[in-house]
PDB file of all heavy atoms in Angstrom:
ATOM      1  N   ARG A 162      -9.461   3.359  17.358  1.00 96.00           N
ATOM      2  CA  ARG A 162      -9.422   2.224  18.242  1.00 96.00           C
ATOM      3  C   ARG A 162      -8.716   1.026  17.457  1.00 96.00           C
ATOM      4  O   ARG A 162      -7.882   0.269  17.957  1.00 96.00           O
ATOM      5  CB  ARG A 162     -10.765   1.738  18.719  1.00 96.00           C
ATOM      6  CG  ARG A 162     -10.764   1.136  20.073  1.00 96.00           C
ATOM      7  CD  ARG A 162     -12.074   0.964  20.660  1.00 96.00           C
ATOM      8  NE  ARG A 162     -12.969   0.100  19.877  1.00 96.00           N
ATOM      9  CZ  ARG A 162     -14.268   0.387  19.473  1.00 96.00           C
ATOM     10  NH1 ARG A 162     -14.773   1.526  19.796  1.00 96.00           N
ATOM     11  NH2 ARG A 162     -14.910  -0.510  18.865  1.00 96.00           N
ATOM     12  N   LEU A 163      -9.125   0.833  16.226  1.00 97.00           N
ATOM     13  CA  LEU A 163      -8.533  -0.217  15.343  1.00 97.00           C
ATOM     14  C   LEU A 163      -7.039   0.049  15.058  1.00 97.00           C
ATOM     15  O   LEU A 163      -6.221  -0.882  15.051  1.00 97.00           O
ATOM     16  CB  LEU A 163      -9.362  -0.338  14.125  1.00 97.00           C
ATOM     17  CG  LEU A 163     -10.770  -0.723  14.316  1.00 97.00           C
ATOM     18  CD1 LEU A 163     -11.660  -0.764  13.001  1.00 97.00           C
ATOM     19  CD2 LEU A 163     -10.950  -2.142  15.019  1.00 97.00           C
ATOM     20  N   LEU A 164      -6.696   1.325  14.843  1.00 96.00           N
ATOM     21  CA  LEU A 164      -5.370   1.687  14.637  1.00 96.00           C
ATOM     22  C   LEU A 164      -4.471   1.468  15.734  1.00 96.00           C
ATOM     23  O   LEU A 164      -3.235   1.046  15.602  1.00 96.00           O
ATOM     24  CB  LEU A 164      -5.289   3.218  14.176  1.00 96.00           C
ATOM     25  CG  LEU A 164      -3.937   3.797  13.646  1.00 96.00           C
ATOM     26  CD1 LEU A 164      -3.429   2.916  12.549  1.00 96.00           C
ATOM     27  CD2 LEU A 164      -4.106   5.186  13.195  1.00 96.00           C
ATOM     28  N   ALA A 165      -4.948   1.534  16.933  1.00 96.00           N
ATOM     29  CA  ALA A 165      -4.207   1.380  18.154  1.00 96.00           C
ATOM     30  C   ALA A 165      -3.729  -0.101  18.323  1.00 96.00           C
ATOM     31  O   ALA A 165      -2.758  -0.377  19.113  1.00 96.00           O
ATOM     32  CB  ALA A 165      -5.032   1.663  19.448  1.00 96.00           C
ATOM     33  N   ARG A 166      -4.222  -1.002  17.514  1.00 97.00           N
ATOM     34  CA  ARG A 166      -3.713  -2.330  17.433  1.00 97.00           C
ATOM     35  C   ARG A 166      -2.382  -2.407  16.782  1.00 97.00           C
ATOM     36  O   ARG A 166      -1.587  -3.404  17.027  1.00 97.00           O
ATOM     37  CB  ARG A 166      -4.616  -3.311  16.583  1.00 97.00           C
ATOM     38  CG  ARG A 166      -5.961  -3.509  17.216  1.00 97.00           C
ATOM     39  CD  ARG A 166      -6.821  -4.294  16.244  1.00 97.00           C
ATOM     40  NE  ARG A 166      -8.125  -4.626  16.787  1.00 97.00           N
ATOM     41  CZ  ARG A 166      -9.180  -5.132  16.106  1.00 97.00           C
ATOM     42  NH1 ARG A 166      -9.003  -5.487  14.812  1.00 97.00           N
ATOM     43  NH2 ARG A 166     -10.388  -5.399  16.683  1.00 97.00           N
ATOM     44  N   TYR A 167      -2.057  -1.436  16.048  1.00 97.00           N
ATOM     45  CA  TYR A 167      -0.845  -1.419  15.220  1.00 97.00           C
ATOM     46  C   TYR A 167       0.232  -0.387  15.612  1.00 97.00           C
ATOM     47  O   TYR A 167       1.363  -0.466  15.249  1.00 97.00           O
ATOM     48  CB  TYR A 167      -1.210  -1.309  13.718  1.00 97.00           C
ATOM     49  CG  TYR A 167      -2.153  -2.387  13.298  1.00 97.00           C
ATOM     50  CD1 TYR A 167      -3.570  -2.056  13.174  1.00 97.00           C
ATOM     51  CD2 TYR A 167      -1.647  -3.690  13.099  1.00 97.00           C
ATOM     52  CE1 TYR A 167      -4.351  -3.070  12.717  1.00 97.00           C
ATOM     53  CE2 TYR A 167      -2.516  -4.629  12.754  1.00 97.00           C
ATOM     54  CZ  TYR A 167      -3.956  -4.387  12.615  1.00 97.00           C
ATOM     55  OH  TYR A 167      -4.821  -5.335  12.260  1.00 97.00           O
ATOM     56  N   ARG A 168      -0.139   0.616  16.419  1.00 95.00           N
ATOM     57  CA  ARG A 168       0.742   1.649  16.748  1.00 95.00           C
ATOM     58  C   ARG A 168       0.190   2.571  17.886  1.00 95.00           C
ATOM     59  O   ARG A 168      -1.043   2.552  17.982  1.00 95.00           O
ATOM     60  CB  ARG A 168       1.127   2.611  15.528  1.00 95.00           C
ATOM     61  CG  ARG A 168      -0.156   3.245  14.985  1.00 95.00           C
ATOM     62  CD  ARG A 168       0.268   4.491  14.299  1.00 95.00           C
ATOM     63  NE  ARG A 168       0.812   5.466  15.204  1.00 95.00           N
ATOM     64  CZ  ARG A 168       1.657   6.414  14.915  1.00 95.00           C
ATOM     65  NH1 ARG A 168       2.138   6.574  13.691  1.00 95.00           N
ATOM     66  NH2 ARG A 168       2.110   7.243  15.843  1.00 95.00           N
ATOM     67  N   PRO A 169       1.073   3.078  18.714  1.00 95.00           N
ATOM     68  CA  PRO A 169       0.532   3.916  19.810  1.00 95.00           C
ATOM     69  C   PRO A 169      -0.029   5.205  19.193  1.00 95.00           C
ATOM     70  O   PRO A 169       0.387   5.639  18.123  1.00 95.00           O
ATOM     71  CB  PRO A 169       1.710   4.248  20.646  1.00 95.00           C
ATOM     72  CG  PRO A 169       2.902   3.954  19.827  1.00 95.00           C
ATOM     73  CD  PRO A 169       2.499   3.005  18.700  1.00 95.00           C
ATOM     74  N   LEU A 170      -1.136   5.688  19.848  1.00 93.00           N
ATOM     75  CA  LEU A 170      -1.770   6.884  19.385  1.00 93.00           C
ATOM     76  C   LEU A 170      -1.412   8.124  20.300  1.00 93.00           C
ATOM     77  O   LEU A 170      -1.160   7.881  21.441  1.00 93.00           O
ATOM     78  CB  LEU A 170      -3.280   6.735  19.347  1.00 93.00           C
ATOM     79  CG  LEU A 170      -3.746   5.669  18.404  1.00 93.00           C
ATOM     80  CD1 LEU A 170      -5.300   5.636  18.422  1.00 93.00           C
ATOM     81  CD2 LEU A 170      -3.296   5.838  16.973  1.00 93.00           C
TER      82      LEU A 170
END
Side-chain angles (χ1 to χ4, degrees):
R162 211 172 62 230
L163 298 173
L164 186 55
R166 294 176 177 170
Y167 303 103
R168 57 155 297 153
L170 298 182

